[in-house]
Each structure stands twice: as structure tokens, then as C-alpha cells.
Amino acid sequence: MTEHFRHVVRGSGPGLLLAHGGGGSVEANFGPILGDLARTHTVVGPDYPGSGATPRSETPLDLDEVADELVAIAVGAGLERFAVLGYSLGTAVAVRAATRHPGRVTGLILTSGFARLDNRIRLAVDIWASLLHDDPRLLAKFLTLAGTGTRHLESLSPADLATAVDELAAFIPAGSPEQVGLVAQVDTRAELAAITVPALVVATTLDGLASPALSRELAAGLPHAELVEIEAGHNIGGEAPGAWLAAIEKFLGGL
């Protein structure tokens, strides 16, 4: 695995570490709210191997190693303690960071997340992995279909829909195979009960990839979790950034 992930550091104040989703990046997953978060926090955002400017890994990714690397980057950026905002796959990275580095993590914000794979995610991962090699544009269509809330999807004109698919097909990171492979390994259920820091779990109620039931299950497994439900598909940053930001800021303000 790549020894060091490229990352951004923005803002000042209490620490906030970002953990992005599989097949995503810091900019793709957090871009709409990144500037607002940096107004009140020192935000550290690493890109996984094969995303952003981080070179692709030559070996499969390991959840422990990814979590350790993100924590090391935050510490290297001057943060002794920090909250972790995880999105999708990043929720498992955030949980593992809290498990392995309990003295560093002050709180968890887990959005569109899961502690295990259900059959929906299992099927999505299989399709995702196959289409990465065979037909990236069809993959973009699949991800747009599964990851977009119905209201937002139906609000797009045919031209806007075609543009969205084209942009997603052009974006797909080189490290997607390894990152999707990491998604397939996620099972953090056994460690949830030992996490003692406050947590905010954000369920995306129109999510066709990570169902809101998985977020509810994640919140139920954490001893000090609050559950907030937001009407959006998996792409909450594109569909409901204001509601997402408001929930995050309220939680961070109480730490």
C-alpha cells in the first residue's frame, strides 16, 4: 500500500479528520461543505490510494492500515486530538480509527454508513467491480441510478442527466478497484460497543447503495450515538449539503 496519502489541510480551530468513500475523494465527497467546515475547524482531508493526487496502491487495501495512515496524517498536521467525519466506506475507516487510536478521536460523524455489508451493498460491489473493467460509462449510469435520490434524479433534464453521467464516468479514480475491494471487507460490528466517544450517525433516507437501515443499525451499536435522518440519496453532498452541514456543525459545537 502507498505509504503516505496526499492530503489537504484547511482552516483553523479544533481538529476534524475526513475519511471519504470508496471510489471517491475528499473533493468529490466533501467539496460542497469543505469551506464551511474550515471556517471553524482545522480540517485534514487525505485521499486514499488512487484518488486525488495519491498514487494507486500496488497491493490490496487494509482497513487497519488506512485508518492508521489517516490518524498519522492528522497528527503530522499538528492535531493531537480530533473528530472524524466519515462518509460511506469512510464510516468504517472512522470507526476503526476510534478503535485503534481511542486517545486521539474525540467524536465520530458517520454519514451514509454501514458496519457490515447487506445484500444490496454486496450486489452493488460485485457490479461495481465488474463494470470498472468492462464499461466505465455503464458503471457511471449504475452509480447515478443507485446513488441518487428519486426527487433529485427526476429533477434533472435529459441533458443534465447525460452530463452528470459523463462527468462521473470521467471522474472514476484509478484506485477504485482497491477501494471497492476494501468495501467488500467491512465488518466493524464487534468493535462498536467499545467506542465511548459521542457519535452522530447521519442516515440518507433515499439511499439506494447504503440503506438507512444500515445507518440505524450502526447508531444502535454505538453506546453514545445520535441518529439524524436526512432526505437524500447516497450523494448527500450534492443533494442536501445544507442539511448535512447543519447537522455536522450542531454536533461539533457540542463536543
Side-chain angles (χ1 to χ4, degrees):
M1 188 174 72
T2 301
E3 292 183 359
H4 193 67
F5 302 175
R6 305 291 192 272
H7 59 280
V8 298
V9 180
R10 295 182 59 179
S12 61
L16 179 63
L17 175 63
L18 306 181
H20 69 73
S25 70
V26 169
E27 181 58 35
N29 296 156
F30 301 109
I33 63 172
L34 191 55
D36 292 293
L37 293 173
R39 288 208 301 262
T40 56
H41 285 73
T42 300
V43 181
V44 178
D47 280 317
Y48 305 153
S51 287
T54 304
R56 183 177 177 182
S57 178
E58 297 179 357
T59 59
L61 299 180
D62 176 83
L63 190 60
D64 285 352
E65 293 178 359
V66 172
D68 289 351
E69 179 65 12
L70 262 63
V71 169
I73 288 169
V75 173
L79 303 181
E80 290 298 316
R81 304 186 75 221
F82 41 85
V84 187
L85 167 56
Y87 165 76
S88 193
L89 168 64
T91 62
V93 176
V95 165
R96 189 58 54 84
T99 299
R100 291 174 63 83
H101 305 274
R104 297 285 190 189
V105 176
T106 60
L108 296 174
I109 306 162
L110 309 175
T111 302
S112 303
F114 47 94
R116 63 174 178 90
L117 272 64
D118 64 1
N119 286 337
R120 180 179 298 275
I121 296 179
R122 191 169 286 109
L123 287 170
V125 165
D126 287 347
I127 295 170
W128 198 338
S130 295
L131 293 180
L132 273 169
H133 301 289
D134 298 336
D135 194 337
R137 194 168 191 280
L138 184 57
L139 172 61
K141 289 183 178 181
F142 165 71
L143 293 176
T144 300
L145 173 64
T148 309
T150 301
R151 179 180 298 180
H152 184 77
L153 186 63
E154 296 305 324
S155 74
L156 300 175
S157 69
D160 288 340
L161 178 59
T163 297
V165 169
D166 288 342
E167 290 177 348
L168 182 54
F171 162 76
I172 295 171
S176 292
E178 292 78 32
Q179 293 177 29
V180 173
L182 186 57
V183 172
Q185 300 173 33
V186 168
D187 189 344
T188 60
R189 288 173 290 180
E191 58 208 86
L192 298 179
I195 294 176
T196 59
V197 297
L200 173 68
V201 178
V202 180
T204 36
T205 60
L206 305 179
D207 200 328
L209 286 173
S211 77
L214 289 174
S215 284
R216 296 176 191 128
E217 182 180 292
L218 188 56
L222 290 162
H224 306 289
E226 171 191 0
L227 177 67
V228 171
E229 300 194 353
I230 294 177
E231 187 175 290
H234 200 66
N235 182 26
I236 186 174
E239 296 181 38
W244 190 25
L245 178 66
I248 293 168
E249 289 182 330
K250 180 180 179 182
F251 175 78
L252 291 174
L255 289 181

